[in-house]
Amino acid sequence: MKPIRVGICGLGTVGGGTFNVLTRNAEEIRRRIGREIIVEMIGARRPNPACDTSAVRTSKDVFDVARDPEVDVVVELIGGYDVARELVMTAIANGKHVVTANKALIALHGNEIFAAASVKGVSVCYEAGVAGGIPVIKAIREGLAGNRINTVAGIINGTGNFILTEMRDKARDFADVLVEAQKLGYAEADPTFDVEGIDAAHKLTILASIAFGSPLQFEKAYTEGISKICPDDVKYAEELGYRIKHLGIARRRENGIELRVHPTLIPEDRLIANVDGVMNAVMVDADAVGTTMYYGAGAGAEPTASAVVADIIDVARTFDSPASSVPGLGFVSDELLDLPVLPVEEIESAYYLRLDASDQPGVMTTITGVLSDAGINIEAILQKEVHAGEQVAHIIMLTHSVQESQMNRAIAAIEALDVVSGTVTRIRMDRLD
Amino acid sequence: MKPIRVGICGLGTVGGGTFNVLTRNAEEIRRRIGREIIVEMIGARRPNPACDTSAVRTSKDVFDVARDPEVDVVVELIGGYDVARELVMTAIANGKHVVTANKALIALHGNEIFAAASVKGVSVCYEAGVAGGIPVIKAIREGLAGNRINTVAGIINGTGNFILTEMRDKARDFADVLVEAQKLGYAEADPTFDVEGIDAAHKLTILASIAFGSPLQFEKAYTEGISKICPDDVKYAEELGYRIKHLGIARRRENGIELRVHPTLIPEDRLIANVDGVMNAVMVDADAVGTTMYYGAGAGAEPTASAVVADIIDVARTFDSPASSVPGLGFVSDELLDLPVLPVEEIESAYYLRLDASDQPGVMTTITGVLSDAGINIEAILQKEVHAGEQVAHIIMLTHSVQESQMNRAIAAIEALDVVSGTVTRIRMDRLD
């Protein structure tokens, strides 16, 4: 059979890794699919010293690759939004299959991209965009395809998980660990994208669409970062038997879906609570199979390349019958349902609350009374001295599940109490059961 | 598009689950693949009270299903070896695609079955055969297809994992927990298949073939059960920072592959060490992606049905172009390599050793001297009093990695010492790093 000819656009970390994996494992790959996959062309402004590309045609203009008649599959690894979008649309217009690791591109422009690909009868694959080398897109779109999926919850940003792990293991401050993460190359100079949850929201947006069969709705995702988490909260959570993780949660409700990224207390005996450092994991709860989890490296040159190459192999396996490939969002395009994303006020969650209150008789009764009046049940209470001799105590409460709007009202009422100083710290909690 | 017509053979636990999942999620499935999957026919000696099959054609003879002209996909869920083999071969001969949950069938007769399927151009899918609802076959054959896979290590028998978990959590005896597992329905009246590792060896045989691209070689697998594990060993392992799990391990070596099922000490901070109860997990180490892990329910009606239905959906997606389906063992059939399975004497492993020795000066030096003379490095030593006042101590040692034959000689030498009574208990150890 004719080889599948790949054009790699972008030869940075992931592009270089992809080139090297395709080259090094060419024979293993040929044994798997019965035909060769060759790198036909590379589009990159600079060479990558980690790659010997001397035998490959190159261009400084990635659009040359997207238009090249000898290229079957365009691999978009330039990142960013606008140029990447134009590049992918050009490739599709030229009848090329597309493989990308660009979660932002898919989360923001995926609906348009999949529509164009559908018209041209080409595949757009993006396994590498979510949780790096973990084949979780495949697991959801194919492995769990017999299920009605209820919840997807994932640690899908390695930077954030590294920071929270260090904060817990070494009782360190957020700011302090962030500097270390930057030194280690785990966090960017401007870490906003990772620590404020935007990157995780891109990935969650994709996971939600393939889980529920709805269009991509990034702009509706609720996103909250980890920069406000204090060591005290990490410690108190621990004492109560919980870990704080930065989770992306997509959950099917009767009247729509929840789509939210925020720090979350989860019981320490859940397997996902023990996913530490830069590792990623995605938990899926579905009606037939129950809970499954997928764990691995969420970033890095070759882990990400592993997913890119798996996508290329998928394209190769269905190359002569593209109709048999899995649809972009895992559901046939005209079967996508416009499921509304619920506003954050309408989500349901249990909560961890921390507040400063006067350390005097009756205060606890007053505070718990406010929650009780709001119909909120308390699961656990912890009272901690802040500084010896001071008349202020940290009060920590875990509540049962309520609607966020209900909790907002209760928190406002607590903050209005004379005996309470400052604001109430609120971290959502999920039992994941 | 024409519906895909399924014939279910066997309507027991998994057959009933499959029928119910296909029926309940029919609409979700149709949205995914753009065509209907319908249960055309059922072959079963008895109805299943959990299933309303009144609208479906039935036969008491499963071979009627394998030959029925209206059936596209035969789902073999009768279990066992001989009749199942004949049924599957009949279905293939009649040009049907086959989906099965029967690991024993695939491990023992898979080479013959895949060869026949290849000639007829039909698929034989068996995701449900390994680790129940966890889509690990798909992960390895497709999700990690760009990798050269080095190691697969899995907790792939829920009964065994339940027993070991209970032994650890409650310091109970094997025999005692086994009775409870039987009461709970987790273990059969004759538990040999599960506790002696035969079931796990079937699954491991399949995992090894799809990981390395070699024919199925069940008869070469080394299999050791958990019935000899004592509470003392569980406790000592714990003190040393390890958990004992019944692992299936397939590992690529320079001169062949290791294929072995046995109790294994693994460091407690590995995620897989924390997979408890009846749950399954499979860890894969591969050259590009590094370590990934797949976790979920390894048995049960609907978890297993989840995998069966995913396979049916895969068949449906490539129904009009069967050449685009993934080959049976993940590699093109004429590209399978006859990798030799190493005899257990040639595997390399670290070890946990426990022995009874006289509690007198110089004994430890004598014993460690034997290991040292055999070129075996000791990583940790623990000495434990057995009964107060007695002159015998339990000595526990963890060694570095050596060849098993070397360890056999060292153990023989230790057992020959006057100061050592009885035999040396040996449990293999794996850092899984």
Side-chain angles (χ1 to χ4, degrees), chain B residues 297-417:
Chain B
E302 291 217 352
T304 310
S306 168
V308 170
V309 175
D311 275 349
I312 298 171
I313 291 173
D314 271 356
V315 168
R317 278 176 168 152
T318 57
F319 192 75
D320 298 315
S321 55
S324 65
S325 65
V326 180
L329 292 174
F331 289 73
V332 177
S333 55
D334 55 9
E335 295 288 349
L336 295 175
L337 293 179
D338 259 320
L339 300 174
V341 175
L342 300 176
V344 69
E345 292 74 21
E346 292 180 30
I347 68 162
E348 278 175 34
S349 179
Y351 294 83
Y352 162 102
L353 305 176
R354 174 174 54 80
L355 51 96
D356 288 354
S358 313
D359 194 3
Q360 61 188 61
V363 167
M364 195 68 96
T365 313
T366 309
I367 293 166
T368 57
V370 172
L371 288 172
S372 164
D373 290 349
I376 298 170
N377 290 321
I378 298 169
E379 183 187 298
I381 299 185
L382 208 63
Q383 177 162 347
K384 292 279 176 180
E385 202 173 52
V386 181
H387 297 291
E390 276 185 28
Q391 289 302 306
V392 175
H394 270 169
I395 293 176
I396 298 100
M397 290 176 289
L398 303 184
T399 77
H400 284 229
S401 197
V402 292
Q403 203 176 60
E404 177 115 341
S405 57
Q406 203 175 343
M407 180 53 76
N408 289 344
R409 285 191 297 272
I411 287 177
I414 291 173
E415 287 176 347
L417 293 172

Side-chain angles (χ1 to χ4, degrees), chain B residues 200-262:
Chain B
H202 285 148
K203 295 166 180 166
L204 182 69
T205 297
I206 297 172
L207 290 172
S209 284
I210 63 172
F212 309 131
S214 52
L216 297 148
Q217 307 184 64
F218 170 69
E219 66 290 351
K220 307 262 182 67
Y222 172 78
T223 307
E224 188 180 308
I226 56 169
S227 54
K228 287 178 200 143
I229 299 291
C230 331
D232 275 350
D233 294 320
V234 174
K235 191 178 69 188
Y236 298 150
E238 188 98 0
E239 283 182 39
L240 291 158
Y242 292 80
R243 302 266 166 89
I244 301 179
K245 291 290 181 187
H246 200 195
L247 284 194
I249 300 175
R251 184 169 280 141
R252 193 196 289 267
R253 294 275 182 206
E254 230 168 272
N255 49 344
I257 56 175
E258 296 183 358
L259 192 59
R260 46 192 173 106
V261 174
H262 51 69

Side-chain angles (χ1 to χ4, degrees), chain A residues 81 102-104 106-108 129-132 136-137 152-161 164 191-209 216-226 245-250 258-264 279-282 298:
Chain A
Y81 304 76
N102 193 332
K103 55 232 108 188
I106 298 296
L108 271 75
V130 181
V136 66
I137 301 292
V152 180
I155 296 173
I156 44 183
N157 181 278
T159 310
N161 201 44
L164 289 175
T192 316
F193 219 62
D194 290 316
V195 303
E196 295 307 340
I198 304 159
D199 173 73
H202 286 147
K203 295 165 181 167
L204 182 69
T205 298
I206 297 172
L207 290 172
S209 285
L216 297 148
Q217 307 184 65
F218 171 69
E219 65 291 350
K220 308 259 181 70
Y222 171 78
T223 306
E224 189 181 307
I226 56 169
K245 292 290 182 188
H246 200 195
L247 285 195
I249 301 175
E258 296 184 357
L259 193 59
R260 47 192 172 105
V261 173
H262 52 68
T264 313
M279 300 306 277
N280 279 200
V282 178

Side-chain angles (χ1 to χ4, degrees), chain B residues 136-158:
Chain B
V136 66
I137 301 292
K138 184 173 279 287
I140 295 176
R141 294 198 320 182
E142 305 173 41
L144 306 182
N147 291 262
R148 187 172 160 90
I149 293 173
N150 300 313
T151 303
V152 179
I155 295 172
I156 44 182
N157 182 278

Side-chain angles (χ1 to χ4, degrees), chain A residues 73-343:
Chain A
V73 185
V74 171
V75 180
E76 183 280 300
L77 301 170
I78 60 172
Y81 304 76
D82 295 339
V83 180
R85 177 184 158 279
E86 205 188 324
L87 177 67
V88 165
M89 294 302 277
T90 304
I92 292 168
N94 282 275
K96 317 292 187 198
H97 299 283
V98 172
V99 173
T100 177
N102 193 332
K103 55 232 108 188
L105 176 73
I106 298 296
L108 271 75
H109 304 300
N111 296 327
E112 173 195 14
I113 289 169
F114 293 127
S118 179
V119 170
K120 289 295 264 187
V122 295
S123 293
V124 175
C125 308
Y126 51 91
E127 179 68 79
V130 181
I134 311 169
V136 66
I137 301 292
K138 184 172 280 286
I140 295 176
R141 295 197 320 181
E142 306 172 42
L144 307 181
N147 291 263
R148 186 171 159 90
I149 293 173
N150 300 314
T151 303
V152 180
I155 296 173
I156 44 183
N157 181 278
T159 310
N161 201 44
F162 172 81
I163 292 174
L164 289 175
T165 303
E166 286 289 301
M167 287 178 71
R168 183 178 76 86
D169 286 355
K170 300 178 183 153
R172 293 168 68 188
D173 273 337
F174 170 81
D176 181 25
V177 180
L178 175 59
V179 171
E180 189 196 332
Q182 286 168 323
K183 275 191 203 145
L184 289 167
Y186 293 159
E188 309 278 339
D190 176 0
T192 316
F193 219 62
D194 290 316
V195 303
E196 295 307 340
I198 304 159
D199 173 73
H202 286 147
K203 295 165 181 167
L204 182 69
T205 298
I206 297 172
L207 290 172
S209 285
I210 63 172
F212 309 131
S214 52
L216 297 148
Q217 307 184 65
F218 171 69
E219 65 291 350
K220 308 259 181 70
Y222 171 78
T223 306
E224 189 181 307
I226 56 169
S227 53
K228 286 179 200 140
I229 299 292
C230 332
D232 274 351
D233 294 320
V234 175
K235 191 179 65 187
Y236 298 150
E238 188 97 1
E239 283 181 40
L240 292 158
Y242 292 81
R243 301 267 165 89
I244 301 181
K245 292 290 182 188
H246 200 195
L247 285 195
I249 301 175
R251 185 170 279 140
R252 194 196 290 266
R253 293 275 182 206
E254 230 168 274
N255 48 346
I257 56 175
E258 296 184 357
L259 193 59
R260 47 192 172 105
V261 173
H262 52 68
T264 313
L265 269 76
I266 46 182
E268 64 188 3
D269 62 356
R270 297 291 180 274
L271 207 58
I272 197 169
N274 296 287
V275 170
D276 288 331
V278 293
M279 300 306 277
N280 279 200
V282 178
M283 223 195 78
V284 183
D285 178 60
D287 70 341
V289 75
T291 296
T292 56
M293 196 185 87
Y294 310 88
Y295 164 88
E302 291 216 352
T304 311
S306 168
V308 169
V309 175
D311 275 348
I312 298 171
I313 291 172
D314 271 357
V315 169
R317 277 174 168 153
T318 57
F319 192 75
D320 298 317
S321 54
S324 64
S325 64
V326 180
L329 292 175
F331 289 74
V332 178
S333 56
D334 55 10
E335 295 288 351
L336 295 175
L337 294 180
D338 259 320
L339 300 174
V341 175
L342 300 175

